[in-house]
């Protein structure tokens, strides 16, 4: 049988602590976005760091993209008006 030893002994256990941390982070991000609807992922990241969360901006962006608290990419005012220059 040609099977790597590491594959044979690999554990398929679910990381429950990691899932709990991810859920806590998602809940906290949703509370921040509801309190400050104009905040993007950068401001949310800084707010989390002020609240003693050790979190990376890429992780915040991923969680915000997958969670129900989708962020408006154009801020509070919405998309800026476009000017048509050709006919």
């Amino acid at each position: 049988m040609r099977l790597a030893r590491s594959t044979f002994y690999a554990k398929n256990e679910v990381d429950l602590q990691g899932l709990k941390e991810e859920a806590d982070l998602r809940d906290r991000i949703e509370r921040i976005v509801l309190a400050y609807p104009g905040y993007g992922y950068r401001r949310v990241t800084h707010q989390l760091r002020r609240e003693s969360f050790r979190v990376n901006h890429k992780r915040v962006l991923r969680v915000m993209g997958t969670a129900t608290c989708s962020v408006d990419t154009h801020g509070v005012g919405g998309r800026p008006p476009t000017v048509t220059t050709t006919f």
Side-chain angles (χ1 to χ4, degrees):
M1 180 162 87
R2 292 182 174 238
L3 186 64
R5 184 178 297 151
S6 61
T7 304
F8 182 78
Y9 288 106
K11 295 180 182 177
N12 290 329
E13 297 176 7
V14 178
D15 183 19
L16 297 178
Q17 181 67 22
L19 292 176
K20 183 184 179 311
E21 289 175 6
E22 190 77 16
D24 292 343
L25 178 65
R26 187 180 317 116
D27 291 342
R28 188 60 201 137
I29 287 174
E30 287 181 0
R31 278 190 246 131
I32 291 171
V33 170
L34 288 174
Y36 305 101
Y39 274 20
Y41 77 94
R42 290 181 179 146
R43 284 185 173 177
V44 171
T45 304
H46 288 291
Q47 182 67 30
L48 288 169
R49 288 181 182 163
R50 278 186 231 122
E51 297 174 3
S52 301
F53 275 88
R54 277 190 68 194
V55 65
N56 188 305
H57 70 279
K58 293 175 276 189
R59 184 175 177 198
V60 172
L61 183 60
R62 178 181 51 82
V63 171
M64 288 176 76
T66 58
T68 58
C69 62
S70 61
V71 176
D72 184 14
T73 58
H74 293 287
V76 176
R79 184 177 291 277
T82 58
V83 177
T84 306
T85 58
T86 58
F87 296 105

